């Protein structure tokens, strides 16, 4: 497992500075640390990441991955070069290894080395899972391998959440769901994670949620944003009718509705209509910053008064 604390020497190596510099950061209170009974400083991973974000430091050194296989060595090289194609390829190899793997450790390693959350989701997991799906379609891996990779990826995303620092506080809320028979929710989980880091309250319904149930919960929870994701083509009149009801509920409350997933194209179909299609977590982040900027501004003004 990845360690959750770093020594002074490891932090110095990570930022390519001297140990004296790290000790000075700690003494000045810029970088939080704890001291062992023997007087040695220990730095929490979350505190190191927060320090890097707040003071604009980017890791130029690299921590050693706890495993020593070829994939792990490839990952260390990819992080050092900021090579996202190589990171995605390493992700695929790690996810499909015959032995039980720990993708949480893999993702945590990226995050600890200041790879942004949106890059982890959009440039590593997304192309990696796409490649795994293509390997299954081509008959190069079994459906069991594809399911195992998906399950371990979901588990890793959930566990990584505990390491993520919430950047802001907000009263905004979102409801995230995969409608009807859609069972693939990795992309939706990434979207939900990004919103949580932005301080949103996220009501996560997951896969196979009936459209009628989504509408009923929107009446009850009154979210600011609803995110729907599906990989399946939707042509059923009943579902389109339910979606029309959902739109009326949201529009009455001036809430936003966005779509994502492989089947979603801005093609003017009755399923998509005038709603926004967003395929990446970075795209969603840009969208909510733009669409909800006025609300955020009012909240900041109220906190400052």
């Amino acid at each position: 497992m990845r360690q959750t604390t770093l020594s002074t020497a490891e932090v110095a190596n990570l930022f390519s500075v001297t140990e004296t510099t790290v000790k000075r950061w700690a003494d000045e209170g810029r970088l939080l640390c704890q001291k062992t009974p023997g007087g040695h400083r220990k730095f929490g991973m979350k505190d190191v990441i927060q320090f890097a974000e707040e003071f604009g430091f980017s890791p130029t050194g690299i921590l050693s991955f706890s495993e020593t296989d070829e994939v792990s060595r490839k990952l260390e090289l990819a992080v050092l070069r900021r090579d996202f194609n190589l990171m995605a390829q390493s992700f695929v190899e790690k996810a499909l290894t015959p032995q039980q793997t720990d993708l949480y450790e893999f993702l945590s390693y990226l995050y600890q080395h200041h790879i942004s959350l949106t890059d982890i989701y959009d440039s590593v997991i997304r192309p990696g899972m796409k490649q795994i799906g293509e390997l299954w379609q081509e008959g190069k891996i079994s459906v069991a391998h594809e399911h195992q990779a998906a399950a371990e990826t979901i588990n890793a995303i959930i566990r990584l959440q505990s390491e993520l620092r919430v950047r802001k506080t907000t009263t905004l809320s979102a409801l995230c769901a995969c409608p009807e028979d859609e069972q693939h929710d990795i992309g939706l989980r990434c979207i939900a994670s990004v919103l949580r880091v932005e301080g949103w309250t996220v009501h996560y319904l997951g896969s196979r949620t009936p459209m009628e149930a989504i509408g009923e919960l929107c009446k009850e929870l009154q979210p600011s944003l609803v995110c729907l994701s599906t990989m399946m083509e939707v042509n059923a009149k009943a579902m389109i009718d339910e979606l029309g009801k959902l739109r009326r509920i949201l529009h009455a409350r001036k809430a936003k509705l966005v779509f994502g997933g492989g089947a979603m194209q801005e093609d003017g179909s009755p399923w998509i209509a005038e709603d926004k299609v967003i395929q990446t977590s970075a795209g969603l982040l840009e969208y909510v910053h733009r669409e909800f900027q006025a609300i955020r501004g009012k909240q900041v003004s109220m906190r400052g008064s």
Side-chain angles (χ1 to χ4, degrees), residues 3-296:
Q3 61 194 96
T4 58
T5 61
L6 300 177
S7 67
T8 301
E10 287 173 322
V11 175
N13 177 60
L14 186 61
F15 294 113
S16 296
V17 297
T18 65
E19 291 186 39
T20 301
T21 298
V22 175
K23 292 175 182 177
R24 186 179 74 249
W25 290 340
D27 293 341
E28 293 172 348
R30 300 170 70 191
L31 177 55
L32 298 179
C33 75
Q34 294 182 338
K35 286 191 176 181
T36 66
H40 299 290
R41 294 174 175 83
K42 291 294 181 181
F43 301 87
M45 284 295 186
K46 291 182 70 171
D47 294 327
V48 171
I49 292 168
Q50 180 175 343
F51 167 81
E53 292 177 346
E54 289 185 354
F55 295 98
F57 285 94
S58 295
T60 54
I62 193 162
L63 299 173
S64 295
F65 201 66
S66 64
E67 298 180 25
T68 57
D69 58 21
E70 185 60 35
V71 176
S72 300
R73 286 190 286 271
K74 185 184 294 185
L75 176 62
E76 291 182 350
L77 180 62
V79 168
L80 194 59
R81 293 178 176 176
R82 290 304 193 257
D83 185 336
F84 289 104
N85 289 331
L86 189 56
M87 289 182 208
Q89 184 58 43
S90 299
F91 170 83
V92 171
E93 293 179 33
K94 199 72 173 174
L96 295 178
T97 186
Q99 295 78 26
Q100 185 173 3
T101 186
D102 191 346
L103 283 179
Y104 157 69
E105 182 175 353
F106 184 101
L107 300 185
S108 176
Y109 182 80
L110 296 179
Y111 188 66
Q112 290 165 13
H113 284 83
H114 216 44
I115 304 299
S116 73
L117 197 59
T118 54
D119 279 335
I120 291 173
Y121 293 156
D122 297 341
S123 301
V124 180
I125 293 179
R126 188 167 185 257
M129 289 307 302
K130 180 181 179 182
Q131 183 178 344
I132 289 172
E134 290 171 350
L135 289 172
W136 169 67
Q137 290 177 341
E138 294 167 2
K140 295 180 179 178
I141 63 172
S142 69
V143 67
H145 290 129
E146 190 270 342
H147 277 236
Q148 181 182 14
E152 291 186 354
T153 299
I154 289 171
N155 183 56
I157 292 170
I158 293 171
R159 291 179 63 192
L160 184 66
Q161 193 70 41
S162 65
E163 287 191 32
L164 308 181
R165 183 174 63 90
V166 176
R167 301 176 185 276
K168 310 173 181 69
T169 56
T170 178
T171 58
L172 295 168
S173 65
L175 186 148
C176 300
C178 293
E180 301 300 332
D181 295 328
E182 179 57 61
Q183 60 182 334
H184 297 90
D185 69 336
I186 290 178
L188 190 71
R189 288 183 182 275
C190 294
I191 291 297
S193 177
V194 167
L195 289 172
R196 289 190 181 103
V197 168
E198 289 294 303
W200 287 58
T201 297
V202 177
H203 305 285
Y204 191 83
L205 307 185
S207 60
R208 296 179 174 179
T209 307
M211 286 296 302
E212 184 178 359
I214 294 172
E216 290 301 315
L217 278 172
C218 284
K219 291 179 184 178
E220 177 183 340
L221 300 172
Q222 300 187 21
S224 314
L225 174 70
V226 173
C227 301
L228 300 182
S229 176
T230 181
M231 302 291 289
M232 303 169 62
E233 294 290 345
V234 178
N235 298 308
K237 183 179 183 301
M239 285 187 64
I240 293 174
D241 289 344
E242 287 295 334
L243 183 60
K245 295 177 185 178
L246 176 60
R247 285 195 181 97
R248 290 192 287 275
I249 294 170
L250 297 179
H251 291 175
R253 293 169 170 78
K254 299 188 184 304
K256 303 293 185 180
L257 174 62
V258 298
F259 289 91
M264 298 294 105
Q265 303 293 331
E266 295 185 89
D267 56 4
S269 71
W271 174 242
I272 303 301
E274 73 276 16
D275 302 300
K276 185 69 177 176
V277 175
I278 298 174
Q279 296 289 15
T280 65
S281 58
L284 179 76
L285 203 56
E286 180 182 354
Y287 174 78
V288 297
H289 285 172
R290 181 178 67 251
E291 294 296 325
F292 296 95
Q293 184 175 13
I295 297 176
R296 285 186 176 278

